């Protein structure tokens, strides 16, 4: 009997397994350590911030020039009217680094800086803003930092394997590299906003239907935190798998197509 399994599928699953395990950590925190919803949110918020920093550093190594025509998404720092100038038309000037790392390109620095400014606003808004029931700063405990560290390590392993190991920096522009974390942040931000909106409606419905005592039990109980962690974990795994699959298929389709950086030079 001939197997329908795609060649290399088992290897793909082995490479993706550490990502799955790292994203299970917040759910384990809820079940084993008694985490609240805000601690789950803090863990994934740290992950998104770290993802932006890691990919911003990787974007400095991108060799190809930026092409803005035909893009459906434009990152901070550029627009349809942006004149890229001569520095993007000629050959890039590399800055060589000591050791085995490839050279970096100074012309990438401005876009990296603008994306980091965008990310600092995105991360700082819920951290320093005055929101009821959302105090991410107070939720950052040693166990939350440890779980976030495990997730970040899996991202670094992916960068090393996919970006440097397969020399993708030679075929990507700084815009394409930065699209990866920005698209993930936009997707997860939308998911969290929708989740909180319907969660608040659900809690209000419980309060009005069953009374304050049941409402307080649900709000402080483990069921709410477990359900929240499950939904966010599934969303993050969908993001991670989509990004993982987008590296392996030229036209991945479905959700993975959203996480595939646009390459106008191939159109």
């Amino acid at each position: 009997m001939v197997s329908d399994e795609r060649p290399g599928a088992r290897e793909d699953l082995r490479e993706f397994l550490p990502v799955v395990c790292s994203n299970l950590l917040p759910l384990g925190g809820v079940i084993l350590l008694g985490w609240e919803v805000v601690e789950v949110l803090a863990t994934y918020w740290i992950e998104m911030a770290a993802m932006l920093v890691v990919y911003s550093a990787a974007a400095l190594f991108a060799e190809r020039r930026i092409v803005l025509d035909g893009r459906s998404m434009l990152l901070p720092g550029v627009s349809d009217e942006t004149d890229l100038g001569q520095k993007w038309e000629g050959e890039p000037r590399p800055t060589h680094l000591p050791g085995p790392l490839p050279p970096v390109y100074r012309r990438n620095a401005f876009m990296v800086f603008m994306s980091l400014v965008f990310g600092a606003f995105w991360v700082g808004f819920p951290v320093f803003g005055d929101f009821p029931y959302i105090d991410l700063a107070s939720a950052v405990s040693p166990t939350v930092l440890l779980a976030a560290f495990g997730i970040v390590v899996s991202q670094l392993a992916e960068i090393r394997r996919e970006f440097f190991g397969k020399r993708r920096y030679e075929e990507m522009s700084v815009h394409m590299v930065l699209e990866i974390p920005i698209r993930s942040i936009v997707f997860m931000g939308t998911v969290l906003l929708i989740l909180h909106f319907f969660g608040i409606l659900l809690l209000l419905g419980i309060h009005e239907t069953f009374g304050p005592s049941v409402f307080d039990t649900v709000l402080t109980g483990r069921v709410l935190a477990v359900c929240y962690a499950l939904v966010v974990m599934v969303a993050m795994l969908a993001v991670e798998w989509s990004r993982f699959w987008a590296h392996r298929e030229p036209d991945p389709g479905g959700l993975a197509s959203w996480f595939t950086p646009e390459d106008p030079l191939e159109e």
Side-chain angles (χ1 to χ4, degrees), residues 56 59-62 66 76 87-88 104-117 174 178:
S56 294
L60 294 172
F61 296 89
I66 296 177
K87 72 175 182 178
W88 290 102
V104 296
Y105 298 90
R106 285 176 291 177
R107 69 181 185 179
N108 296 341
F110 177 71
M111 281 211 64
V112 169
F113 171 75
M114 292 302 297
S115 293
L116 286 173
V117 170
V174 60
L178 291 172

Side-chain angles (χ1 to χ4, degrees), residues 110-250:
F110 177 71
M111 281 211 64
V112 169
F113 171 75
M114 292 302 297
S115 293
L116 286 173
V117 170
F118 168 83
F121 172 79
W122 182 270
V123 173
F125 187 66
V127 173
F128 300 107
D130 185 16
F131 299 99
Y133 308 113
I134 301 179
D135 186 3
L136 294 185
S138 67
V140 178
S141 64
T143 54
V144 168
L145 290 175
L146 185 61
F149 177 76
I151 296 174
V152 172
V153 167
S154 71
Q155 291 180 356
L156 291 172
E158 179 189 1
I159 282 281
R160 182 178 181 275
R161 181 183 66 246
E162 298 292 337
F163 190 74
F164 291 104
K166 298 181 180 179
R167 303 173 69 93
R168 295 191 186 276
Y169 54 86
E170 295 179 349
E171 57 194 50
M172 299 180 75
S173 68
V174 60
H175 196 290
M176 293 173 65
V177 177
L178 291 172
E179 279 184 61
I180 297 172
I182 296 296
R183 287 177 181 271
S184 299
I185 288 172
V186 170
F187 178 83
M188 282 305 301
T190 303
V191 169
L192 291 174
L193 285 174
I194 294 173
L195 180 60
H196 288 153
F197 175 76
F198 284 103
I200 290 172
L201 290 182
L202 177 62
L203 290 174
L204 290 176
I206 292 173
H207 186 277
E208 294 299 322
T209 304
F210 299 102
S213 59
V214 175
F215 172 80
D216 292 338
T217 301
V218 172
L219 190 62
T220 59
R222 297 265 62 81
V223 175
L224 178 63
V226 169
C227 291
Y228 183 90
L230 276 173
V231 173
V232 177
M233 183 192 70
V234 169
M236 281 302 302
L237 285 176
V239 171
E240 299 289 359
W241 176 253
S242 298
R243 293 197 302 114
F244 184 83
W245 193 245
H247 284 314
R248 282 152 175 74
E249 293 292 328

Side-chain angles (χ1 to χ4, degrees), residues 20-139:
V20 175
C21 294
S22 66
N23 277 275
L24 287 173
L25 292 176
L27 181 61
V30 172
I31 296 174
L32 301 176
L33 302 176
W35 282 9
E36 301 293 340
V37 167
V38 70
E39 291 169 303
V40 177
L41 182 60
T43 303
Y44 286 115
W45 214 254
I46 293 171
E47 177 186 4
M48 287 191 286
M51 180 188 299
L52 180 62
V53 172
V54 168
Y55 275 92
S56 294
L60 294 172
F61 296 89
E63 291 186 14
R64 286 178 54 182
R65 64 186 180 90
I66 296 177
V67 177
L68 299 180
D69 294 340
R71 287 190 176 277
S72 61
M73 171 186 251
L74 292 172
L75 299 185
V78 294
S79 67
D80 292 328
E81 287 76 32
T82 299
D83 182 9
L84 295 176
Q86 294 182 350
K87 72 175 182 178
W88 290 102
E89 296 300 329
E91 289 295 322
R93 296 180 180 179
T95 299
H96 296 278
L97 302 177
L101 287 173
V104 296
Y105 298 90
R106 285 176 291 177
R107 69 181 185 179
N108 296 341
F110 177 71
M111 281 211 64
V112 169
F113 171 75
M114 292 302 297
S115 293
L116 286 173
V117 170
F118 168 83
F121 172 79
W122 182 270
V123 173
F125 187 66
V127 173
F128 300 107
D130 185 16
F131 299 99
Y133 308 113
I134 301 179
D135 186 3
L136 294 185
S138 67

